Amino acid sequence: MYFRGQKFFVAGMSVSGESSARFLLERGAEVYVYDDVVSDNIAKTYAELRALGAHVVTAEGCAEAADKCDILVLSPGIPIDTALPVSFRKRGKSIIGEEELAAMYLRATAVAVTGTNGKTTTVSMLNEMINACGNRSVACGNNGNPLIKEVEDLAFKDFAVIEISSFQLETLTSLRPHIAVVTNVTEDHLNRHYNMENYIFLKSKILRNLRESEFAVLNYDDPVVRSFAKNTKAKTVYFSVQSRVEGAYFQDGGLYYNGEKYFDINDMNVSGVHNVYNALACVAVAGILGLDKTLASNALCAFKGVSHRIEKIREVNGVTYIDDSKGTNIDATLKAAQTMREPTVLLLGGKDKGDDYTPLFEGLSSGPVVHAIIYGENRFKMLNAAIRAGFVSFSLCSEFETAVKLAQFIAKPGQSVLLSPASASFDGFANYEERGKAFKAIVDGINEETSK
């Protein structure tokens, strides 16, 4: 793409939007930047980008800027069917995202990961494994490190391990990974995608450009993901906990790839069936790339997890506090609850994503959760679902801080408090990381002597 003389409208000043604007400005493009919420951080970003030559657009000036610009670079946080992208589409102009812009210039071998749950953990595992085997690899994408920031530093012999969300897949068309991994597909983001058919279609887009020389690594135990094999030209390699498949599988306590054992589950630092699935996806990638089995196994076993995903914060007054703020949907929360080994008080709630929470409470009824504290914007919807499911051990409050402090007094010695909200964070926080940090701050403030 020739940048000089092109006019780009970059909408959304998240880390991906800011990085896109900087990338374009450095290459001589004319860049217009806009965000509908101007926080102190965004005001600072505006000032820095203006100093580099960007035009800052106000809400009143959006229509005029859209007329001037050739291409819209859309933040994944902005739905594709809102007014600004619709106006570009009506004008017959291009709409891309940050990852699409980066994909045009990517030289490194791409290993792309999507799915409802497990993306960040799998990307982190893959990145550590590939690096441990003597390669240069960078984890990027939806994990908070935009691909556009890394693309020019990655050489042909390097690897880009890219986390891709359904939001990013809305504007991603040209990425052709050598290996595409799909972890699972369960109900999520229906407030954005309207129905499961649309959501499934978006997840399947990661396989669209694969050729016969490339690989689709698919979760065999998920019927939706397994069905993706029918519509890809790539070689399909499965991973499974339940069956011995062509690919990676779990058998007699060990993880195998096509008959060759890699390691025992007891050798892993992280626990839970969900992490077995994540590790199996990585074993499949290791087998495809021909990585050293011992080095790959050692890296996967040494992996200690990611922040805000079933992360132990502290034990105080005999109660263990666990941060799973990354559990933003029903499936993730149920899996987190299943990893608990002691009676658990669960913190639930936040911004609704269009889910039916009845299956959540049905699933919690037979597990270690002895009490749920429901808070946040969607608390009444969750309350009604709990009653429908016959789950009656719960408390209700509005504020996050109140919920955490209530859990402090309900949990007994020998029990755990698990933050796994099954909801987005946007009713009170900028993201799940901010919510997790708030949880940790409250827990760190619990006094040993006066908390009970």
Side-chain angles (χ1 to χ4, degrees), residues 109-136:
T109 298
V111 179
V113 181
T114 196
T116 305
N117 299 311
K119 295 186 295 297
T120 302
T121 300
T122 301
V123 163
S124 299
M125 278 184 166
L126 284 169
N127 189 56
E128 292 192 13
M129 178 186 76
I130 294 171
N131 277 309
C133 291
N135 305 285
R136 179 170 182 260

Side-chain angles (χ1 to χ4, degrees), residues 167-233:
F167 295 175
Q168 290 165 320
L169 283 162
E170 287 181 336
T171 54
L172 185 61
T173 58
S174 63
L175 180 68
R176 180 179 286 129
H178 181 57
I179 303 173
V181 180
V182 186
T183 58
N184 66 344
V185 176
T186 60
E187 189 174 285
D188 200 14
H189 300 303
L190 298 192
N191 60 328
R192 168 94 167 232
H193 303 310
Y194 300 109
N195 55 53
M196 277 299 290
E197 288 76 13
N198 290 339
Y199 183 56
I200 291 168
F201 167 76
L202 286 169
K203 289 298 186 185
S204 70
K205 278 184 66 180
I206 198 172
L207 308 177
R208 175 183 292 178
N209 296 331
L210 300 188
R211 298 167 296 198
E212 292 83 355
S213 58
E214 288 137 0
F215 297 86
V217 175
L218 305 179
N219 183 347
Y220 185 84
D221 299 340
D222 186 314
V224 172
V225 177
R226 186 167 69 241
S227 72
F228 288 175
K230 300 174 185 176
N231 299 310
T232 180
K233 296 177 182 178

